[in-house]
Amino acid sequence: MKHFRILIFLAGCMTVIISCRKDYEVIPLEKVTIEYVFDQDDSLGTYANKFLNSIYSKLPGGYNRVGGDLLDAASDDAISGLVGTSAVSQLATGAYTSYAPVADESPWNNCYAAIRAASLFVSNIDVSPVKEKLPNGASIRYAWKAEARFIRALFYFELLKRYGGIPLMGDKVRELGDDVQIPRSSFSDCVNYIVSECNAIKDSLRPNPVVAPELNSHRATRGAALALKARVLLYAASPLFNGQNIEGNNPLTGYNSYDKARWKQAADAARELINERTFSLVPNFKDVFITQNNSEVIFFRQGGNTTEIESTNGPVGFAAVARGRTNPTQELVDAFPTNAGLPITDPASGYNSNDPYARRDPRLAMSILYNGARWLNTELQTFQGGQHRPGGAEPGTQTSYYMRKFMGNFENATQYSNTSHDWIILRYTEVLLNFAEAENEANGPTAEVYQVLKDLRARAGIAAGSNGMYGLKENMTADEMRNIVRNERRIELAFEEHRFWDIRRWKIAQQVYGKSLHGMNIIKDGPAFNYNVAAVFKPVFIAPKMYLYPIPYDEVVKNDNMRQNPGW
């Protein structure tokens, strides 16, 4: 097998051992061979384990990954502080093609490199006679193999939600010179494959939660497999793929017809994890994102203790230098109800347009920084001419808002200090919301759906009210509940790379992007402020083809069996 030498490098696996974490070490490239990594005499599986960690390092991160911005800045929830010159602005205006994609949001090659690395691990790990045992007595080698299959399934989903049906490679690890004229599999086959992988590995993965040193806290568990399965089935049941296929009977872009049973499958998948009661809501919403190994996090990409998120997204105008890149929109701010749980358009809500941030859902202050909010021992001035809305090379906020979520507790500090910034890929709240959405579509607004919303609102700090409904209307129709669940999802999961995909899978992107996005133009008048909503950016959704990304031009050219997506 000596001919495999350097093949790992050619496949994009040069970083078998990643040095960004203290538990990884560097192996000289000339020693990186299949025999070295998967050694039949290595009873500890030392290098196989390190190779697996290198595959984990390929997982997508979300913090300002698209040209320095969050993906949500390409949705209706935020814009970039750099507006028209940013990569996310290209996404939001359709300024991309199959041969000129937005680089940081064109993951085809990276995903397949990770898939190949995972398959390489799956195909060779049985050589290593790893003696370490799981609590159930099984060799940890089986858990490692299941972890690689989970990562592979996750990367297939990353491709699926962007492109529709994609080529499924199976376990075969192709070498240079192999025939790669592989056609795309149908959307249905891709969903079935990912779901079957999750089912096959769930009992081989570590139990929930990981009871191990922090060294292993990033590893995939049974809960991760169940949560991924629930997410995949939710997408498959959603309008874009289930009944509103952008090209009729094209099996690559969705199902041929609507089937309500797909919603039930999605609800049942989420319920399976919920019923295991191995995860729970963290009492304080802010703690979910800055406290490691908490009860709500199911799966994450390791980050580090840094000030990077604060320095990239925090308000400008402080001695603690920040760039203010993520500017939440007025549309997102208005989506937050009052602390009575009622929308701000409801006359009974208590909303005051002259004091718009008072008596609001506490998640607003924990997600967004606004004029008058406390930050770095100062009350923010995002009014015209205010200290925290200047122009210049770092222009500050275009909307009068900054993102607060993910950042440390710096309200009363004078400077930033290192804070945990793991990127959460799967968390329990999403599973609850996935269940609520799917259950409502399958069976209407059942008591279980109401309970999910009550639990989330109670955790947020919304008042229960005399009827214990947390502002929710009793006896809602399925359509009314759909709107409530979608809005709850929007505010609870803001900036977590859900909104961009949600408005696509719900097939409402043409409606959403058909309107200007707004901010707040605030004028200081003595001790008072005048608040005026103002347009700040106009997204564009050119045609239905934009519901899916184009297959990269190079892939279509070199593979005679590769079909391009409709319209591209």
Side-chain angles (χ1 to χ4, degrees):
M1 297 178 69
K2 299 299 184 184
H3 65 283
F4 281 108
R5 187 182 300 271
I6 311 303
L7 178 60
I8 298 174
F9 169 76
L10 294 172
C13 301
M14 179 180 176
T15 53
V16 172
I17 312 302
I18 303 299
S19 60
C20 63
R21 303 293 295 188
K22 64 183 181 182
D23 52 308
Y24 305 156
E25 65 181 83
V26 175
I27 294 177
L29 181 61
E30 66 273 10
K31 292 186 178 181
V32 177
T33 64
I34 294 295
E35 297 97 328
Y36 190 90
V37 176
F38 304 103
D39 185 352
Q40 61 185 355
D41 296 321
D42 182 7
S43 62
L44 297 179
T46 302
Y47 294 116
N49 190 26
K50 292 178 185 294
F51 185 85
L52 180 57
N53 270 324
S54 79
I55 303 173
Y56 274 99
S57 75
K58 299 177 187 297
L59 288 168
Y63 293 125
N64 300 94
R65 68 170 182 82
V66 184
D69 288 296
L70 292 171
L71 180 62
D72 282 45
S75 74
D76 57 338
D77 277 359
I79 63 171
S80 169
L82 299 182
V83 198
T85 62
S86 63
V88 289
S89 297
Q90 291 179 258
L91 283 176
T93 57
Y96 54 88
T97 66
S98 63
Y99 49 86
V102 176
D104 293 328
E105 186 45 31
S106 183
W108 185 280
N109 290 336
N110 289 339
C111 284
Y112 274 111
I115 288 167
R116 188 187 188 282
S119 293
L120 191 67
F121 187 93
V122 170
S123 298
N124 289 278
I125 184 56
D126 289 341
V127 172
S128 299
V130 186
K131 292 183 178 180
E132 184 181 348
K133 304 292 185 183
L134 290 169
N136 63 7
S139 170
I140 203 168
R141 183 181 70 221
Y142 298 113
W144 291 353
K145 190 172 185 176
E147 288 172 38
R149 291 173 70 179
F150 169 81
I151 296 172
R152 184 172 64 183
L154 179 61
F155 275 106
Y156 272 126
F157 173 69
E158 289 296 316
L159 291 166
L160 184 71
K161 71 183 181 183
R162 290 171 168 85
Y163 302 103
I166 32 83
L168 295 173
M169 312 302 286
D171 288 342
K172 182 177 180 181
V173 180
R174 287 169 173 80
E175 305 172 30
L176 292 179
D178 280 358
D179 180 14
V180 291
Q181 301 292 304
I182 302 171
R184 297 169 63 184
S185 296
S186 70
F187 178 83
S188 176
D189 285 348
C190 291
V191 170
N192 292 341
Y193 174 78
I194 298 171
V195 169
S196 67
E197 284 290 278
C198 291
N199 285 333
I201 64 178
K202 63 182 180 181
D203 294 327
S204 297
L205 290 165
R206 300 165 193 260
N208 303 312
V210 171
V211 182
E214 187 177 332
L215 177 68
N216 289 317
S217 64
H218 66 290
R219 297 299 188 100
T221 64
R222 172 182 172 85
L226 295 179
L228 176 59
K229 173 184 172 181
R231 181 188 285 182
V232 172
L233 288 173
L234 180 81
Y235 272 64
S238 298
L240 177 61
F241 304 112
N242 186 21
Q244 297 183 39
N245 190 333
I246 62 171
E247 191 175 64
N249 294 326
N250 186 341
L252 299 175
T253 54
Y255 297 106
N256 294 339
S257 60
Y258 174 76
D259 187 349
K260 189 175 182 179
R262 295 188 183 108
W263 286 113
K264 183 180 185 305
Q265 291 172 349
D268 289 345
R271 184 187 280 111
E272 181 179 1
L273 180 54
I274 293 169
N275 286 346
E276 291 193 357
R277 301 184 183 279
T278 49
F279 296 95
S280 61
L281 296 176
V282 173
N284 188 323
F285 178 75
K286 281 193 297 185
D287 289 345
V288 176
F289 311 101
I290 59 175
T291 304
Q292 291 183 314
N293 303 324
N294 65 69
S295 64
E296 195 165 329
V297 176
I298 298 174
F299 186 65
F300 64 94
R301 187 190 192 280
Q302 282 184 316
N305 290 319
T306 69
T307 61
E308 182 179 357
I309 309 308
E310 291 80 7
S311 61
T312 303
N313 300 286
V316 302
F318 286 103
V321 177
R323 298 192 293 276
R325 285 296 291 266
T326 304
N327 300 174
T329 62
Q330 191 64 44
E331 282 73 15
L332 176 59
V333 171
D334 288 349
F336 287 84
T338 63
N339 58 6
L342 298 172
I344 63 173
T345 54
D346 189 324
S349 68
Y351 174 71
N352 180 359
S353 60
N354 294 317
D355 192 8
Y357 314 120
R359 298 179 295 280
R360 297 292 291 274
D361 179 337
R363 286 173 293 186
L364 174 61
M366 290 186 277
S367 302
I368 295 173
L369 292 169
Y370 46 78
N371 188 62
R374 192 161 187 80
W375 193 248
L376 291 178
N377 207 30
T378 302
E379 288 190 359
L380 287 179
Q381 300 176 5
T382 62
F383 53 83
Q384 292 294 332
Q387 177 184 349
H388 309 110
R389 192 173 179 166
E394 299 293 351
T397 177
Q398 308 292 319
T399 62
S400 89
Y401 303 113
Y402 292 98
M403 183 182 75
R404 164 67 182 84
K405 197 172 186 177
F406 310 127
M407 298 199 282
N409 295 317
F410 299 117
E411 281 76 5
N412 298 308
T414 56
Q415 62 183 5
Y416 296 132
S417 57
N418 287 341
T419 302
S420 172
H421 289 311
D422 294 331
W423 174 253
I424 300 174
I425 296 174
L426 295 163
R427 71 177 174 106
Y428 185 57
T429 295
E430 184 210 339
V431 177
L432 292 174
L433 288 165
N434 290 350
F435 169 75
E437 180 181 345
E439 175 70 6
N440 182 61
E441 298 297 337
N443 298 308
T446 62
E448 289 178 300
V449 176
Y450 269 99
Q451 192 60 53
V452 166
L453 298 176
K454 289 178 182 179
D455 289 345
L456 292 177
R457 291 182 169 212
R459 190 267 291 273
I462 289 176
S466 59
N467 62 357
M469 294 297 291
Y470 295 89
L472 297 169
K473 177 184 172 182
E474 298 183 75
N475 301 314
M476 278 189 270
T477 65
D479 289 344
E480 289 173 324
M481 180 58 82
R482 179 185 303 117
N483 292 332
I484 294 295
V485 170
R486 287 183 177 184
N487 193 73
E488 200 74 22
R489 185 179 179 92
R490 180 179 192 178
I491 60 181
E492 179 73 30
L493 303 179
F495 312 121
E496 296 180 50
E497 288 207 358
H498 288 286
R499 181 68 178 176
F500 182 85
W501 303 112
D502 283 346
I503 60 178
R504 284 161 173 76
R505 69 179 178 85
W506 292 331
K507 212 174 182 187
I508 62 171
Q510 284 179 283
Q511 171 188 340
V512 168
Y513 285 126
K515 304 172 184 177
S516 292
L517 300 179
H518 298 81
M520 188 70 82
N521 186 23
I522 307 171
I523 306 297
K524 187 171 175 23
D525 184 11
F529 296 98
N530 294 320
Y531 295 91
N532 300 285
V533 174
V536 293
F537 182 70
K538 179 63 177 69
V540 178
F541 202 88
I542 297 172
K545 70 176 185 178
M546 289 177 60
Y547 278 109
L548 295 175
Y549 285 178
I551 304 297
Y553 177 77
D554 289 348
E555 297 298 321
V556 177
V557 169
K558 70 185 182 184
N559 182 352
D560 292 339
N561 293 319
M562 182 69 70
R563 285 182 58 187
Q564 181 58 275
N565 271 331
W568 294 103

